[in-house]
Amino acid sequence: MDNFQEQQFDAPIPGMSMTAELGARPWQQPPRFSTVEQTTSHYIESMSSEEFSDKLIDVLEMGVPVTTIADVMMMNGTMDGTHSADIGILIMPILVEFMLLIADSSGIEYTSGLEEEDTPSKAAIARAVDKFKKERASSQEDKGSDMQEEGDQFEAVVENTEQMPQEDKPVGLMARRA
Amino acid sequence: METRTAKSIYSKFQDLSFLDEGKKEKAITTSGLLTPKNNSAKIDDKRYEQPAYRVAEYVREIRNKREGLNSG
């Protein structure tokens, strides 16, 4: 649920794409690298530097998952026109694997981001609660309709009893009482 | 829009056994002046035309290095 809300706030404002001329943005231009090989060699070259390794280790030690860093790198590469979005998605496993290699070679403890989640996500819990509420509401409605039926039957019985012919009871002081 | 794709994409590359399926080993003659120097098996393999397949090859290469590092 938190992720969903976060993404909602990240979404562009309507009309934002028209605030610049078409083709003015880097991602609207032809990318610098158009093949998997070119893009891979570009990333491997930049990731092989000591500067990148040091920064990566710092970030991983802070607890940021490797997959998140790969996502950011891919997004950044697409936004600055280095490669297209589809090439970025294609080479994502290479980025993750290479960063895992750097992390393993440095011997630090890190989060890969590939671990199975033990606890259900907040979104899953929210869905389950919604489902439970709906089921409870529908069962209460059913109960209510049962009670309504019972009430209708009771009223019908009452009406019937009211409509039953009543014997004329003798009135008067001298009338016989049972 | 899905913006966190790395986990799901990487998980599809966990099992790379499909790379070895149906691989043909070409017998290379090592003598003769006109013997091709390069193994053309890769070039003949139609799967190399698929970028995802080539990516899987890269991933396997890096993973082998990582596993070698972890084991030794």
Side-chain angles (χ1 to χ4, degrees):
Chain A
M1 194 62 100
D2 284 347
N3 288 346
F4 179 69
Q5 281 173 353
E6 191 181 311
Q7 283 172 15
Q8 286 294 305
F9 286 122
D10 278 350
I13 305 159
M16 198 169 161
S17 63
M18 295 170 197
T19 54
E21 285 291 319
L22 187 64
R25 303 287 191 200
W27 61 87
Q28 291 170 342
Q29 294 287 328
R32 271 174 66 203
F33 306 114
S34 55
T35 64
V36 166
E37 284 74 21
Q38 289 172 347
T39 316
T40 303
S41 60
H42 162 75
Y43 273 113
I44 296 287
E45 202 180 314
S46 61
M47 287 161 78
S48 301
S49 68
E50 205 167 308
E51 189 190 349
F52 178 86
S53 298
D54 292 344
K55 282 181 183 170
L56 178 70
I57 290 163
D58 284 346
V59 174
L60 290 176
E61 279 183 329
M62 287 193 305
V64 180
V66 175
T67 50
T68 306
I69 300 168
D71 279 324
V72 171
M73 283 175 71
M74 192 280 282
M75 190 75 82
N76 195 39
T78 309
M79 281 179 72
D80 66 13
T82 307
H83 51 76
S84 59
D86 52 350
I87 292 281
I89 287 173
L90 267 171
I91 61 150
M92 195 92 84
I94 301 174
L95 299 183
V96 174
E97 197 65 51
F98 199 77
M99 281 191 277
L100 291 175
L101 176 68
I102 293 171
D104 280 350
S105 60
S106 65
I108 56 161
E109 281 194 15
Y110 62 92
T111 318
S112 66
L114 305 162
E115 297 87 3
E116 290 295 321
E117 288 173 6
D118 293 336
T119 52
S121 66
K122 284 182 182 176
I125 293 169
R127 276 200 303 274
V129 169
D130 272 356
K131 196 181 170 187
F132 173 72
K133 278 180 183 173
K134 278 178 189 168
E135 280 177 6
R136 198 173 60 177
S138 65
S139 68
Q140 278 176 351
E141 275 176 18
D142 289 346
K143 275 183 187 173
S145 63
D146 287 348
M147 284 175 73
Q148 183 72 31
E149 278 175 21
E150 283 173 13
D152 291 345
Q153 284 173 359
F154 178 73
E155 279 175 15
V157 169
V158 169
E159 277 175 20
N160 286 340
T161 49
E162 281 173 358
Q163 285 170 2
M164 276 173 73
Q166 289 181 346
E167 288 174 13
D168 294 332
K169 286 183 180 173
V171 230
L173 285 172
M174 299 298 286
R176 277 190 193 168
R177 289 181 187 167
Chain B
M1 191 183 83
E2 178 67 56
T3 52
R4 294 173 184 187
T5 49
K7 186 182 176 182
S8 59
I9 295 168
Y10 185 81
S11 62
K12 288 183 173 56
F13 283 80
Q14 290 279 20
D15 181 24
L16 299 174
S17 57
F18 65 90
L19 288 171
D20 299 322
E21 286 170 14
K23 251 191 180 174
K24 288 180 222 166
E25 285 297 322
K26 270 198 169 180
I28 303 164
T29 45
T30 51
S31 61
L33 286 171
L34 296 171
T35 304
K37 298 283 183 231
N38 297 325
N39 187 356
S40 61
K42 278 190 177 178
I43 299 161
D44 291 345
D45 198 340
K46 289 280 176 195
R47 291 179 300 181
Y48 275 88
E49 290 172 11
Q50 300 292 325
Y53 189 82
R54 301 200 298 273
V55 167
E57 284 274 4
Y58 279 117
V59 171
R60 182 164 72 171
E61 212 166 294
I62 300 167
R63 190 173 295 169
N64 286 345
K65 272 188 187 174
R66 190 160 68 90
E67 282 168 1
L69 190 83
N70 288 338
S71 62

